[in-house]
Amino acid sequence: MANPVSLPLFQKVFIKNTTQRAVDVTILLLLLCLLTYRLLTLKDNGLAWFLAFLCESWFTFNWVLVICSRWTPMLYQTYPERLQQQVKELPPVDMFVTTADPVLEPPILTVNTVLSLLAVDYPANKLACYVSDDACSPLIFYSLVEASKFANLWVPFCKKYNVQVRAPFRCFLDDRSVPSSANSGEFQQEWKKMKDEYEQLCRKIENATQQPFPFGLTGELVVFSNTELRNHPEIVKVLWENKEGLPDAVPHLIYISREKRPEHQHHYKAGAMNVLTRVSGSMTNAPFMLNVDCDMFVNNAQIFRQAMCLLLGSKNERDCGFVQSPQLFYDRPEQLLILHEYVGKGIVGIQGAFYQGTGCFHRRKVIYGLRPDEVEVQGRDVYSDENELQRDFGISREFMKSAAHALKGKTDYYPSNLSESLEAAHQVAGCGYEYGTSWGIKFGWMYGSTTEDILTGLTIHNRGWRTGYCSPDPPAFLGCAPPGGPATMTQQKRWATGLLEILFSKHNPIFGTLKGKLQFRQCLAYLWIFLWGLRSIPELCYALLPAYCLITNSNFLPSIQEPGIYIFVASFVSYNLYTLSEIIRTGFSIKAWWITQCMARIITLSAWLFGVINVVLKLLGLLETEFEVTRKGQSTSDDGGDDDDGQFVFDESPVFVPITVVVMVHLTALAISLFRLLPQSSGQGSGLGELFGSVFVLVSFWPFVQGLFRKGKYGIPLFTIFKSAALALLFIHLCREVQKICVIVDMK
């Protein structure tokens, strides 16, 4: 039998994907055949044929990026049970939770996330939880104070009975989280007591939400007097301290609201994360840091130990700059799971997982800018003198000392108690502390994009670090998906905007491959995600082509008598059957596949298109992009349904205009075709292919077709309809004018 000390803490598992590779290559060959056919017949066809060729060239290029990204899928198998034999003492971890709006992000969500972190299966004396409240809200502070009281009951209860799901709102909802061995009367009694205590906590928070502090801001809340959203001093409060350092107690809980002033740039979430890093460095200085969004609770209590298997089990630290867990949702599990399953695992097999902004364990020294080739010198100073350290990290002597310890790989810099470090914590949380330093420029969470997570991860990969991926069963973290249409569009627009900001900046991954240490295939994987927004342009063009052809009596597809039609049919059918097989293999239904496909098209032609517009306006100096907080909801039903009953919700946002225009154009085009109002054609004329294409577009955008005839939140607002109708009429007029020009050109 092998010596337990010599056994690895993890192993890499390469996934056999021969069938997937064969299908990927087959689809690529079909696309290349399609492009070849287009080129050979280009001179015999019109404008629509040429536009289709351009769009299909883009789709082919995008498919090449997909194939390269998922060609070598890999997973990590971890063995947390071996940690106890191989690691004398588990390392400390600082946990970061970020919230920015108590209305869009209800406090009860933050409370559940914090409680799940405080109750993880890890020594409490090695943990500290820092909550960043970027709204400077007394409601958030009050909720956390009450949550800390409940935690003194909840944490011992979870550890005593080994409760599986340690976020109360899911634990009391799902009987599967109840330990199978806990059938005693004592457990049932304590379970009921915990549930009653949690319901009382919810009532307190709900009452404070509806009638916020009718007796004024008194006691600990007095610090919130005369504060405004973007004009207030820094607030750092220790809500709970594990003073005795007991491993089974409640970990430290610290509230932070960084200083904000109107004249100072605060860099949104990236700025908040850098403040959390500095404050935690001044107070506990753990060598590892976990960050989660306020709505992403711990779903697997063992995740800290599993992540440590990767972070501590790597013989070469360069192989694990950070450990990312997949971002998944309990109420809409299919939304990102397919992406992680078939592309995410492929990226893991290259240089490592992307940083997704939540559910990620970081090495502090990597966040501080340490390069893999500098790890060898961590026994001595990375910086030659104190002036260099001050230039990069700021003027706080206490923080400079803790940063130097972290860069050397030491873990022995701790104040005797948290209150002793509060003065330094306030100093590094000030809005002017970063001026003249390298925060957000050379290290930390990087500035310059609304997707600071991807940019930060790209910077780490550029330095030469590889990254780990931890995807246990059950999933490590679960959150709630944005509810309804507007919230989803806000989130997706922010992602598309931020990704394009990186693409058109000095951080472009191509530069990282040419000048840095970013691997070529990892560069292609980054390009695939950065080009999401630009996909909206060819997809919008392709979505309008069937309508254009019906309106102008032209064609962009071969007739059913031509052999070329088989290439189009084979490409269309093979791609859709393969995406269907992917979602069925993952455990979802045909309905889930269709909804996923439709939502992908809706997001591309709305949110991503506006992301492109935002970046174009920014490059022209006409707009400054802002970080828009996504509205979050809390689903409490077993089926994960939301308040909108699965129906698409509209508001007056202009993001819904493009697809409404597309739908109106297609409805008009079908009417023109059915009533034989087609103009005379100099060529083949439109046929069944264009008719099928128009119907397919309308079915894909069915929520918008229904929205034209509905009222309330499920109906498209009249103002949006009027704007869309005007644009649709303009498009139809331009189609006819272009058709006249094409006829004149053909006659010549």
Side-chain angles (χ1 to χ4, degrees):
M1 187 174 180
N3 185 350
V5 178
S6 64
L7 292 173
L9 293 176
F10 72 90
Q11 67 177 10
K12 298 178 180 180
V13 180
F14 292 92
I15 303 169
K16 187 177 180 181
N17 66 332
T18 307
T19 303
Q20 177 184 300
R21 287 182 177 182
V23 175
D24 287 349
V25 172
T26 300
I27 294 174
L28 177 60
L29 291 175
L30 286 170
L31 289 170
L32 292 174
C33 289
L34 177 58
L35 293 180
T36 303
Y37 177 78
R38 288 278 190 202
L39 276 173
L40 293 175
T41 55
L42 195 59
K43 62 180 181 180
D44 300 323
N45 292 277
L47 176 64
W49 199 270
F50 176 69
L51 291 174
F53 169 73
L54 294 179
C55 294
E56 288 156 2
S57 298
W58 177 271
F59 301 151
T60 305
F61 171 67
N62 186 72
W63 188 246
V64 170
L65 295 181
V66 171
I67 292 176
C68 291
S69 299
R70 66 183 191 178
W71 191 254
T72 53
M74 191 186 80
L75 280 178
Y76 289 90
Q77 177 68 48
T78 57
Y79 304 101
E81 66 277 2
R82 299 174 184 172
L83 270 176
Q84 189 172 355
Q85 289 118 2
Q86 299 192 28
V87 180
K88 292 182 179 179
E89 189 174 1
L90 290 171
V93 181
D94 288 337
M95 307 176 290
F96 301 158
V97 180
T98 51
T99 183
D101 191 316
V103 176
L104 298 177
E105 298 172 334
I108 194 63
L109 280 179
T110 305
V111 162
N112 272 277
T113 296
V114 169
L115 289 171
S116 71
L117 288 169
L118 296 177
V120 293
D121 183 13
Y122 204 79
N125 59 332
K126 300 293 184 181
L127 297 175
C129 183
Y130 295 84
V131 182
S132 169
D133 173 20
D134 243 18
C136 193
S137 167
L139 178 60
I140 295 290
F141 181 86
Y142 170 80
S143 300
L144 290 172
V145 169
E146 295 300 319
S148 66
K149 299 174 184 176
F150 176 72
N152 283 278
L153 301 173
W154 178 246
V155 172
F157 170 77
C158 289
K159 293 186 175 181
K160 179 180 179 180
Y161 294 105
N162 193 27
V163 176
Q164 298 303 306
V165 180
R166 301 188 179 184
F169 84 110
R170 295 299 292 178
C171 180
F172 295 127
L173 172 69
D174 191 352
D175 291 336
R176 288 171 295 182
S177 64
V178 180
S180 57
S181 59
N183 295 319
S184 65
E186 178 189 2
F187 169 78
Q188 297 297 335
Q189 186 176 358
E190 287 200 44
W191 175 269
K192 187 177 184 302
K193 177 185 175 183
M194 286 298 109
K195 192 172 183 179
D196 291 342
E197 291 286 346
Y198 175 67
E199 289 173 352
Q200 185 177 348
L201 172 65
C202 291
R203 283 194 295 271
K204 287 181 179 178
I205 295 174
E206 182 64 26
N207 291 337
T209 303
Q210 294 177 352
Q211 296 180 343
F213 317 111
F215 302 107
L217 299 172
T218 58
E220 290 186 308
L221 295 175
V222 73
V223 294
F224 294 93
S225 301
N226 302 317
T227 59
E228 300 175 6
L229 179 62
R230 296 188 179 181
N231 188 14
H232 58 80
E234 73 279 357
I235 301 172
V236 182
K237 291 280 188 179
V238 178
L239 303 183
W240 174 261
E241 183 176 0
N242 183 6
K243 293 182 178 180
E244 292 78 19
L246 301 175
D248 293 326
V250 177
H252 302 317
L253 178 60
I254 300 98
Y255 170 91
I256 302 169
S257 183
R258 58 183 170 139
E259 182 185 14
K260 285 186 179 180
R261 301 299 178 191
E263 64 274 14
H264 290 272
Q265 173 62 271
H266 57 83
H267 299 291
Y268 309 109
K269 184 180 176 182
M273 291 301 302
N274 283 334
V275 169
L276 281 169
T277 303
R278 293 196 297 271
V279 170
S280 66
S282 302
M283 300 184 79
T284 49
N285 202 38
F288 299 104
M289 305 177 292
L290 164 70
N291 89 280
V292 294
D293 288 341
C294 65
D295 63 327
M296 298 292 294
F297 66 86
V298 178
N299 186 63
N300 187 326
Q302 285 276 313
I303 181 56
F304 280 59
R305 296 176 183 271
Q306 301 213 27
M308 287 303 141
C309 288
L310 298 178
L311 291 164
L312 303 178
S314 300
K315 294 181 180 178
N316 188 343
E317 284 190 353
R318 74 167 61 236
D319 290 335
C320 203
F322 61 75
V323 174
Q324 176 68 59
S325 291
Q327 183 180 6
L328 300 172
F329 303 122
Y330 61 84
D331 49 352
R332 291 175 192 164
E334 76 284 354
Q335 192 166 93
L336 290 177
L337 181 59
I338 305 301
L339 188 66
H340 289 296
E341 193 69 23
Y342 296 105
V343 180
K345 291 178 181 178
I347 296 171
V348 172
I350 309 174
Q351 196 174 343
F354 294 163
Y355 171 37
Q356 298 169 17
T358 183
C360 189
F361 292 84
H362 295 273
R363 292 186 191 272
R364 185 180 288 271
K365 60 187 177 185
V366 173
I367 289 294
Y368 284 176
L370 195 73
R371 297 177 179 275
D373 53 8
E374 294 173 328
V375 171
E376 304 161 358
V377 301
Q378 63 181 2
R380 62 180 189 270
D381 290 334
V382 177
Y383 286 81
S384 58
D385 57 51
E386 187 175 305
N387 290 333
E388 285 188 13
L389 197 64
Q390 180 176 323
R391 179 197 64 203
D392 278 356
F393 287 89
I395 61 174
S396 170
R397 288 191 170 275
E398 291 81 1
F399 180 70
M400 280 193 291
K401 185 177 179 181
S402 76
H405 275 67
L407 288 167
K408 293 177 185 178
K410 296 182 178 180
T411 60
D412 58 348
Y413 179 77
Y414 301 104
S416 57
N417 60 68
L418 296 182
S419 60
E420 290 182 0
S421 55
L422 280 176
E423 183 178 349
H426 278 85
Q427 182 182 11
V428 298
C431 61
Y433 183 82
E434 292 184 352
Y435 286 137
T437 70
S438 296
W439 284 99
I441 302 170
K442 287 174 55 178
F443 58 79
W445 271 258
M446 305 302 290
Y447 301 151
S449 170
T450 54
T451 52
E452 78 298 321
D453 47 1
I454 293 290
L455 179 55
T456 302
L458 172 61
T459 304
I460 291 170
H461 280 134
N462 280 344
R463 295 190 195 118
W465 291 96
R466 295 182 60 86
T467 52
Y469 186 72
C470 194
S471 55
D473 185 22
F477 303 92
L478 289 177
C480 53
T488 300
M489 295 302 117
T490 297
Q491 183 186 68
Q492 292 287 340
K493 182 176 67 173
R494 186 182 76 234
W495 287 355
T497 301
L499 294 171
L500 285 172
E501 285 175 329
I502 302 171
L503 183 67
F504 295 110
S505 74
K506 64 180 181 180
H507 301 289
N508 186 300
I510 296 175
F511 300 146
T513 299
L514 296 175
K515 300 179 181 180
K517 297 182 180 180
L518 188 69
Q519 294 182 15
F520 176 68
R521 283 182 55 217
Q522 190 80 1
C523 170
L524 296 181
Y526 271 112
L527 281 177
W528 170 72
I529 193 172
F530 289 157
L531 291 170
W532 277 3
L534 291 181
R535 278 173 52 187
S536 60
I537 298 172
E539 292 213 18
L540 176 61
C541 180
Y542 213 70
L544 287 169
L545 273 178
Y548 169 82
C549 291
L550 291 177
I551 293 168
T552 61
N553 197 18
S554 57
N555 70 298
F556 80 104
L557 294 173
S559 66
I560 57 176
Q561 292 84 16
E562 296 180 58
I565 192 65
Y566 295 111
I567 302 176
F568 292 89
V569 173
S571 303
F572 179 82
V573 172
S574 59
Y575 176 77
N576 283 283
L577 285 179
Y578 186 57
T579 56
L580 175 60
S581 71
E582 283 183 335
I583 204 163
I584 289 176
R585 278 181 284 153
T586 315
F588 299 105
S589 63
I590 295 176
K591 180 182 177 182
W593 166 76
W594 179 247
I595 292 173
T596 302
Q597 293 293 303
C598 291
M599 278 304 299
R601 295 185 181 101
I602 289 172
I603 288 168
T604 303
L605 265 63
S606 54
W608 290 2
L609 180 62
F610 270 78
V612 174
I613 294 171
N614 282 347
V615 172
V616 170
L617 292 176
K618 179 182 179 181
L619 292 174
L620 294 174
L622 302 176
L623 177 71
E624 187 64 35
T625 55
E626 291 191 5
F627 188 99
E628 296 180 82
V629 180
T630 306
R631 180 171 71 90
K632 313 237 178 13
Q634 180 173 294
S635 173
T636 55
S637 62
D638 287 316
D639 61 0
D642 55 33
D643 295 337
D644 302 321
D645 301 322
Q647 299 187 61
F648 202 88
V649 177
F650 298 91
D651 63 10
E652 294 186 353
S653 170
V655 77
F656 297 112
V657 171
I659 300 181
T660 309
V661 172
V662 171
V663 167
M664 288 182 167
V665 167
H666 277 279
L667 290 173
T668 306
L670 285 175
I672 290 173
S673 178
L674 292 174
F675 290 106
R676 304 290 181 182
L677 302 175
L678 301 171
Q680 185 177 358
S681 174
S682 59
Q684 175 182 302
S686 58
L688 287 176
E690 287 73 28
L691 194 64
F692 169 79
S694 189
V695 172
F696 182 78
V697 169
L698 287 175
V699 174
S700 299
F701 298 138
W702 192 247
F704 283 77
V705 177
Q706 292 177 308
L708 290 173
F709 306 101
R710 287 180 169 180
K711 295 182 179 180
K713 63 180 180 178
Y714 302 130
I716 301 173
L718 284 176
F719 187 57
T720 302
I721 291 177
F722 291 150
K723 287 190 293 186
S724 303
L727 291 172
L729 289 172
L730 177 62
F731 177 81
I732 293 167
H733 173 71
L734 291 175
C735 288
R736 290 296 176 88
E737 293 300 316
V738 170
Q739 190 262 346
K740 290 177 183 177
I741 295 172
C742 291
V743 170
I744 294 172
V745 171
D746 289 340
M747 290 175 64
K748 291 182 179 179

Coordinates of all heavy atoms in Angstrom, one line a residue, residues 547-574:
A547 N -35.5 38.3 -45.0 CA -36.5 39.3 -45.2 C -36.1 40.2 -46.4 O -37.0 40.5 -47.2 CB -36.7 40.1 -43.9
Y548 N -34.8 40.5 -46.4 CA -34.4 41.4 -47.6 C -34.7 40.7 -48.9 O -35.1 41.3 -49.9 CB -32.9 41.6 -47.4 CG -32.2 42.2 -48.6 CD1 -32.3 43.6 -48.9 CD2 -31.6 41.4 -49.6 CE1 -31.7 44.1 -50.0 CE2 -31.0 42.0 -50.7 CZ -31.1 43.3 -50.9 OH -30.5 43.9 -52.0
C549 N -34.4 39.4 -48.9 CA -34.6 38.6 -50.2 C -36.1 38.5 -50.5 O -36.5 38.6 -51.7 CB -34.0 37.2 -50.1 SG -32.2 37.2 -50.0
L550 N -37.0 38.4 -49.5 CA -38.4 38.3 -49.8 C -38.9 39.7 -50.3 O -39.8 39.8 -51.2 CB -39.2 37.9 -48.6 CG -39.0 36.4 -48.1 CD1 -39.7 36.1 -46.8 CD2 -39.5 35.5 -49.2
I551 N -38.4 40.8 -49.7 CA -38.8 42.1 -50.1 C -38.3 42.5 -51.5 O -39.1 43.1 -52.2 CB -38.3 43.1 -49.0 CG1 -39.0 42.9 -47.6 CG2 -38.6 44.6 -49.5 CD1 -38.3 43.6 -46.5
T552 N -37.1 42.1 -51.8 CA -36.5 42.5 -53.1 C -36.6 41.4 -54.2 O -36.2 41.5 -55.3 CB -35.1 42.8 -52.9 OG1 -34.4 41.7 -52.4 CG2 -34.9 44.0 -51.9
N553 N -37.3 40.2 -53.8 CA -37.4 39.1 -54.7 C -36.0 38.6 -55.2 O -35.8 38.4 -56.4 CB -38.3 39.4 -55.9 CG -38.8 38.2 -56.6 OD1 -38.7 37.1 -56.0 ND2 -39.3 38.3 -57.8
S554 N -35.1 38.5 -54.3 CA -33.8 38.0 -54.6 C -33.5 36.8 -53.8 O -34.4 36.3 -53.0 CB -32.7 39.1 -54.4 OG -32.8 39.5 -53.0
N555 N -32.3 36.2 -53.8 CA -32.0 35.0 -53.1 C -30.6 35.1 -52.4 O -29.7 35.7 -53.0 CB -32.1 33.8 -54.0 CG -31.0 33.7 -55.0 OD1 -30.9 34.6 -55.8 ND2 -30.2 32.7 -54.9
F556 N -30.5 34.4 -51.3 CA -29.1 34.2 -50.7 C -28.9 32.7 -50.5 O -27.8 32.3 -50.0 CB -29.0 35.0 -49.4 CG -29.6 34.3 -48.2 CD1 -28.9 33.7 -47.2 CD2 -31.0 34.3 -48.0 CE1 -29.4 33.1 -46.1 CE2 -31.6 33.8 -46.9 CZ -30.8 33.1 -45.9
L557 N -29.9 31.8 -50.9 CA -29.7 30.4 -50.8 C -30.0 29.8 -52.2 O -30.7 30.3 -53.0 CB -30.7 29.8 -49.8 CG -30.5 30.2 -48.3 CD1 -31.7 29.7 -47.5 CD2 -29.2 29.6 -47.8
P558 N -29.4 28.6 -52.5 CA -29.6 28.0 -53.8 C -31.1 27.5 -53.8 O -31.7 27.2 -52.7 CB -28.6 26.8 -53.8 CG -27.7 27.1 -52.7 CD -28.4 27.9 -51.7
S559 N -31.6 27.3 -54.9 CA -33.0 26.7 -55.1 C -32.9 25.2 -54.7 O -31.8 24.6 -54.7 CB -33.5 26.9 -56.5 OG -32.7 26.2 -57.4
I560 N -34.0 24.6 -54.5 CA -34.1 23.2 -54.1 C -33.6 22.3 -55.2 O -33.3 21.1 -55.0 CB -35.5 22.8 -53.5 CG1 -36.5 23.1 -54.6 CG2 -35.8 23.5 -52.2 CD1 -37.9 22.6 -54.2
Q561 N -33.6 22.8 -56.4 CA -33.2 22.0 -57.6 C -31.6 21.9 -57.7 O -31.1 21.1 -58.3 CB -33.8 22.5 -58.9 CG -35.3 22.3 -59.0 CD -36.0 23.5 -58.4 OE1 -35.4 24.5 -58.0 NE2 -37.3 23.3 -58.1
E562 N -30.9 22.9 -57.1 CA -29.5 23.0 -57.2 C -28.8 22.1 -56.2 O -29.2 22.0 -55.0 CB -29.0 24.4 -57.0 CG -29.5 25.4 -58.1 CD -29.0 26.8 -57.8 OE1 -27.8 27.0 -57.8 OE2 -29.9 27.7 -57.6
P563 N -27.7 21.4 -56.6 CA -27.0 20.5 -55.6 C -26.4 21.2 -54.4 O -26.3 20.7 -53.4 CB -25.9 19.9 -56.5 CG -26.3 20.1 -57.9 CD -27.2 21.3 -57.9
G564 N -26.1 22.6 -54.6 CA -25.6 23.3 -53.5 C -26.4 23.4 -52.3 O -25.9 23.6 -51.2
I565 N -27.7 23.2 -52.4 CA -28.6 23.3 -51.3 C -28.3 22.3 -50.2 O -28.5 22.5 -49.0 CB -30.1 23.2 -51.7 CG1 -31.1 23.5 -50.6 CG2 -30.4 21.7 -52.2 CD1 -31.0 25.0 -50.2
Y566 N -27.7 21.1 -50.7 CA -27.4 20.0 -49.7 C -26.3 20.5 -48.7 O -26.3 20.0 -47.6 CB -27.0 18.8 -50.5 CG -28.1 18.2 -51.3 CD1 -28.1 18.2 -52.7 CD2 -29.3 17.6 -50.7 CE1 -29.1 17.7 -53.5 CE2 -30.3 17.1 -51.4 CZ -30.2 17.1 -52.8 OH -31.2 16.6 -53.6
I567 N -25.4 21.3 -49.2 CA -24.4 21.8 -48.3 C -25.0 22.6 -47.2 O -24.6 22.5 -46.0 CB -23.3 22.6 -49.0 CG1 -22.7 21.8 -50.2 CG2 -22.2 23.1 -48.1 CD1 -21.7 22.6 -51.0
F568 N -25.9 23.5 -47.5 CA -26.6 24.4 -46.5 C -27.4 23.5 -45.6 O -27.3 23.8 -44.3 CB -27.5 25.4 -47.2 CG -26.7 26.4 -48.0 CD1 -26.4 26.2 -49.4 CD2 -26.3 27.6 -47.5 CE1 -25.7 27.1 -50.1 CE2 -25.6 28.5 -48.2 CZ -25.3 28.3 -49.5
V569 N -28.2 22.6 -46.1 CA -29.0 21.8 -45.2 C -28.2 20.9 -44.3 O -28.4 20.8 -43.1 CB -29.9 20.9 -46.1 CG1 -30.7 19.9 -45.2 CG2 -30.9 21.7 -46.9
A570 N -27.1 20.4 -44.8 CA -26.2 19.5 -44.0 C -25.5 20.4 -42.9 O -25.5 19.9 -41.7 CB -25.1 18.9 -44.9
S571 N -25.1 21.6 -43.2 CA -24.5 22.4 -42.2 C -25.5 22.8 -41.1 O -25.2 22.7 -39.9 CB -23.9 23.7 -42.9 OG -23.0 23.4 -43.9
F572 N -26.7 23.2 -41.5 CA -27.7 23.6 -40.6 C -28.1 22.5 -39.7 O -28.2 22.6 -38.4 CB -28.9 24.2 -41.4 CG -30.0 24.6 -40.5 CD1 -30.0 25.9 -39.9 CD2 -31.1 23.8 -40.3 CE1 -31.1 26.3 -39.1 CE2 -32.2 24.2 -39.5 CZ -32.2 25.5 -38.9
V573 N -28.4 21.3 -40.3 CA -28.9 20.2 -39.5 C -27.8 19.6 -38.6 O -28.1 19.3 -37.4 CB -29.4 19.1 -40.5 CG1 -29.8 17.8 -39.7 CG2 -30.7 19.6 -41.2
S574 N -26.6 19.5 -39.1 CA -25.5 18.9 -38.3 C -25.2 19.7 -37.1 O -25.0 19.2 -36.0 CB -24.3 18.6 -39.1 OG -23.8 19.9 -39.7

